[in-house]
């Protein structure tokens, strides 16, 4: 489900599951882990995460068919999407998301968890928990908040509308928007520049930046209160309706319960 390559200290991971629009499933995330382990062993100094050239969909997000039925946290610690975000954040070198096509749901968070984002001018980003009745999790929302300000994160999460890359670049969420034909050269030019710098200094600065960005206090009482609120959602009719509607290829009818 992934193509993996290393050249000139730059690792490339290419989604290769077009039949399911590169949806992020357990098997694919296991392949991600293996790729990151191999990259670390080879001393890779920068990673590019991409879809196949010309893809209309970069990734359709979490594999909805793997979301649990009601009664279980759909984005718990061991969920594949949670594991993928942690792999990206903890890899000891910068990960660049090279985006072309549309990005959906958990794939938006995956992109925003990367250290740098270079996107094709016609790419779009849709945060979709509200479209499926999914109660996003605390660290996932922090990824959005670290990438965007509260107003933009709220708009993306509440409307679930696709947002053009141009707008996200203007607001500092995306580093560069590049014409599709120049995307690859630009991205790998940046990757090779990073790979030519001091890898130890960069990996330590990446870890410092991540630690600082994630340094938020939350009381145990607040955490448990939020987890209780999330349980109301994933135990609700609307969560089950969101999953059913996707499987039945129809619009969901939410009742607010
Ligand atoms: O019917 P077959 O077997 O051919 O499969 C279809 C789709 O069911 C499948 N597919 C997916 N399977 C599992 N999980 C997905 N996320 C997913 N997305 C698509 O891929 C086959 C081709 O899909 P189709 O015919 O719709 O392709 P298309 O080119 O017409 O449209 C592409 C999309 C991406 C616009 C469309 O597939 C779509 O809207 N997909 C769902 C995008 C989405 O809402 N993703 C969020 C997933 S849930 C998630 O990430 C988080 C939990 S959360 O929601 O909280 O953010």
């Amino acid at each position: 489900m992934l193509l993996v390559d290393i050249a000139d200290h730059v690792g490339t991971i290419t989604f290769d599951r077009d039949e399911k629009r590169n949806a992020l499933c357990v098997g694919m995330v296991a392949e991600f882990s293996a790729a990151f382990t191999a990259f670390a062993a080879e001393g890779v100094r920068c990673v590019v995460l991409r879809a196949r050239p010309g893809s209309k969909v970069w990734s359709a997000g979490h594999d909805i068919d793997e979301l649990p039925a009601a009664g279980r946290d759909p984005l718990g610690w061991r969920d594949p999407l949670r594991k993928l975000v942690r792999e990206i954040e903890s890899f000891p070198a910068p990960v660049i998301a090279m985006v072309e096509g549309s990005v959906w749901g958990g794939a938006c968070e995956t992109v925003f968890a990367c250290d740098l984002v270079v996107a094709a001018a016609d790419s779009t980003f849709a945060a979709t928990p509200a479209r499926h009745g999914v109660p996003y999790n605390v660290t996932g929302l922090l990824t959005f908040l670290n990438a965007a300000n509260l107003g933009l994160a709220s708009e993306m999460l509440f409307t679930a509308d696709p947002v053009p890359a141009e707008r996200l670049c203007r607001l500092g969420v995306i580093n560069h928007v590049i014409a599709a034909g120049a995307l690859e050269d630009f991205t790998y030019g940046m990757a090779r520049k990073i790979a030519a710098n001091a890898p130890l200094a960069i990996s330590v600065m990446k870890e410092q930046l991540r630690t600082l960005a994630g340094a938020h206090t939350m009381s145990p009482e607040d955490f448990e209160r939020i987890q209780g609120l999330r349980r109301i959602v994933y135990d609700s009719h609307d969560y089950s309706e969101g999953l059913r509607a996707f499987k039945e290829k129809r619009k969901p009818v939410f009742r607010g319960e």
Side-chain angles (χ1 to χ4, degrees):
M1 293 180 262
L2 298 177
L3 303 171
V4 180
D5 176 66
I6 300 177
D8 309 327
H9 291 297
V10 175
T12 299
I13 298 176
T14 306
F15 290 117
D16 190 32
R17 193 191 182 208
D18 185 57
E19 73 282 0
K20 291 290 184 182
R21 300 300 180 266
N22 296 331
L24 307 169
C25 61
V26 171
M28 180 193 276
V29 172
E31 289 184 34
F32 262 108
S33 297
F36 279 122
T37 302
F39 285 175
E42 291 292 318
V44 159
R45 299 179 177 181
C46 189
V47 176
V48 175
L49 178 53
R50 63 170 301 171
R52 278 180 172 277
S55 293
K56 292 280 174 284
V57 178
W58 191 80
S59 170
H62 197 300
D63 187 318
I64 297 179
D65 296 328
E66 291 187 350
L67 285 173
R72 230 184 77 214
D73 187 337
L75 293 172
W77 180 259
R78 297 176 56 79
D79 171 81
L81 170 63
R82 304 307 337 137
K83 289 168 79 173
L84 175 57
V85 167
R86 290 197 301 270
E87 289 265 6
I88 291 170
E89 291 177 337
S90 60
F91 186 74
V95 179
I96 305 176
M98 186 175 89
V99 177
E100 50 185 321
S102 56
V103 184
W104 303 84
C108 273
E109 188 199 346
T110 302
V111 169
F112 296 162
C114 291
D115 301 284
L116 298 165
V117 183
V118 183
D122 58 356
S123 55
T124 59
F125 298 76
T128 56
R131 176 172 162 184
H132 301 289
V134 171
Y136 223 69
N137 68 305
V138 175
T139 55
L141 291 179
L142 185 58
T143 308
F144 277 94
L145 276 178
N146 281 336
N149 59 39
L150 179 60
L152 176 61
S154 302
E155 179 186 338
M156 291 186 76
L157 290 160
F158 299 161
T159 67
D161 275 344
V163 179
E166 291 283 0
R167 180 173 176 215
L168 293 181
C169 189
R170 208 168 47 247
L171 296 169
V173 178
I174 288 180
N175 296 83
H176 296 279
V177 169
I178 304 289
L183 185 66
E184 198 161 314
D185 287 349
F186 181 90
T187 304
Y188 280 89
M190 183 186 272
R192 282 191 286 273
K193 197 173 295 177
I194 292 171
N197 286 333
L200 212 52
I202 290 174
S203 69
V204 169
M205 284 191 285
K206 171 172 175 174
E207 179 57 20
Q208 292 177 80
L209 289 169
R210 288 281 167 207
T211 304
L212 289 166
H216 294 258
T217 53
M218 177 185 276
S219 70
E221 185 184 349
D222 277 345
F223 180 73
E224 286 180 2
R225 181 171 57 79
I226 285 174
Q227 287 298 87
L229 290 172
R230 294 185 60 241
R231 176 164 204 142
I232 294 168
V233 179
Y234 62 73
D235 276 354
S236 69
H237 156 274
D238 285 358
Y239 173 75
S240 301
E241 166 64 7
L243 297 188
R244 234 187 344 263
F246 180 80
K247 290 184 173 59
E248 295 167 5
K249 298 188 186 290
R250 61 174 172 79
K251 270 181 80 60
V253 178
F254 293 128
R255 297 199 311 234
E257 58 189 35

